[in-house]
Amino acid sequence: MYGHYITVNYRESYGLFACSGMLFNHESPRRGKEFVTRKITDAVARIKLGLQAGLCLGNLAACRDWGYAKDYVRAMWLMLQQDQPDDYVVATGEQHSVEEAATVAFARAALDWRQYVREDAGLRRPAEVDHSSATPPAPGPASAGSRRLGSAS
């Protein structure tokens, strides 16, 4: 949040063209294996190849607003193309659980995730956020920003 407020402060104090973007989770194949989406996809490939027996995950019920990184990069570029600087929230507006992600990934490899995935309470984050998503803004300046940038779909 500090980055957002300092951007607003400099924009207002010095008249800079400075935009603030609050970007929800954005995923790509470049994501490190320490992130759950890559941890899942890497494990699926290794299990399918017989190199790994199973996968331990933390909170399977945790929900996130996951988007595609390339779309988020485009949104950042579009922010900088506007006539006036503004603050933006970049998200899909949809929540998906870790369990859903595992289900889809294992299904793509013709595997049943329930045979391979184990939930391990020791892998839960100490300050776990169960649900993380953006909701459409109420009418006003933020919704105008959404209309200016458009949708990736």
Side-chain angles (χ1 to χ4, degrees), residues 36-83:
V36 72
T37 51
R38 282 289 292 129
K39 184 177 181 179
I40 292 169
T41 57
D42 182 66
V44 168
R46 293 177 55 76
I47 290 167
K48 186 71 173 181
L49 293 171
L51 301 174
Q52 186 172 325
L55 172 63
C56 291
L57 295 172
N59 184 2
L60 291 173
C63 291
R64 298 291 180 264
D65 185 318
W66 279 304
Y68 181 43
K70 189 174 180 179
D71 295 335
Y72 286 56
V73 170
R74 177 162 168 70
M76 289 185 278
W77 181 81
L78 287 170
M79 288 177 207
L80 300 175
Q81 307 314 305
Q82 304 306 304
D83 292 333

Side-chain angles (χ1 to χ4, degrees), residues 62-123:
C63 291
R64 298 291 180 264
D65 185 318
W66 279 304
Y68 181 43
K70 189 174 180 179
D71 295 335
Y72 286 56
V73 170
R74 177 162 168 70
M76 289 185 278
W77 181 81
L78 287 170
M79 288 177 207
L80 300 175
Q81 307 314 305
Q82 304 306 304
D83 292 333
Q84 297 295 318
D86 206 343
D87 304 312
Y88 300 91
V89 174
V90 181
T92 67
E94 297 179 19
Q95 284 191 14
H96 298 280
S97 69
V98 173
E99 181 178 319
E100 245 183 290
T103 301
V104 170
F106 277 87
R108 293 289 291 192
L111 298 170
D112 181 355
W113 74 274
R114 293 169 289 204
Q115 294 178 352
Y116 302 97
V117 176
R118 184 173 61 82
E119 192 168 16
D120 181 347
L123 294 174

